[in-house]
């Protein structure tokens, strides 16, 4: 994915609430994170955050799925940042 203003990273997230759940779902999840390139990888730099909640049987990766003729969440945020309609933020 070629984005000008953001990088897509996958981060591991451990959920204490999911640990030992009756369905046996894993408590360690890998979630995509959209990070502003302006962060430059600097530790401690803070940005506003938008959380995308997926529905039942969904996942965060679905927001990044490619569809013909339709921009995904990362591409939409990149376009909005390039137009100046939004500032740097994490998604």
């Amino acid at each position: 994915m070629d984005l000008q203003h953001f990088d897509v990273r996958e981060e591991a997230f451990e959920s204490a609430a999911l640990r030992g759940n009756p369905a046996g779902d894993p408590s360690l999840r890998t979630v995509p994170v959209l990070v502003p390139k302006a962060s430059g990888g600097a530790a401690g730099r803070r940005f506003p955050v938008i959380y995308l909640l997926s529905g039942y049987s969904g996942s965060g990766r679905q927001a990044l799925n490619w569809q013909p003729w339709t921009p995904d969440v990362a591409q939409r945020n990149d376009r909005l940042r390039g137009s100046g309609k939004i500032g740097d933020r994490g998604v």
Side-chain angles (χ1 to χ4, degrees):
M1 183 176 307
D2 187 28
L3 302 174
Q4 293 179 333
H5 304 283
F6 295 94
D7 288 320
V8 178
R9 300 182 191 163
E10 287 202 340
E11 301 286 338
F13 174 77
E14 177 73 32
S15 171
L18 288 175
R19 201 171 301 130
N21 68 78
D25 289 336
S27 60
L28 181 63
R29 306 285 177 105
T30 301
V31 296
V33 180
L34 197 60
V35 180
K37 288 187 178 181
S39 69
R45 182 107 190 253
R46 298 175 66 109
F47 295 95
V49 175
I50 295 175
Y51 295 93
L52 300 176
L53 303 177
S54 58
Y56 181 73
S57 79
S59 74
R61 290 180 180 163
Q62 287 175 322
L64 300 177
N65 283 350
W66 179 86
Q67 298 177 25
W69 308 289
T70 304
D72 61 28
V73 169
Q75 293 165 331
R76 290 176 192 199
N77 277 275
D78 200 54
R79 185 188 70 229
L80 289 168
R81 177 63 185 94
S83 71
K85 292 182 178 178
I86 63 170
D88 290 325
R89 62 185 180 178
V91 177

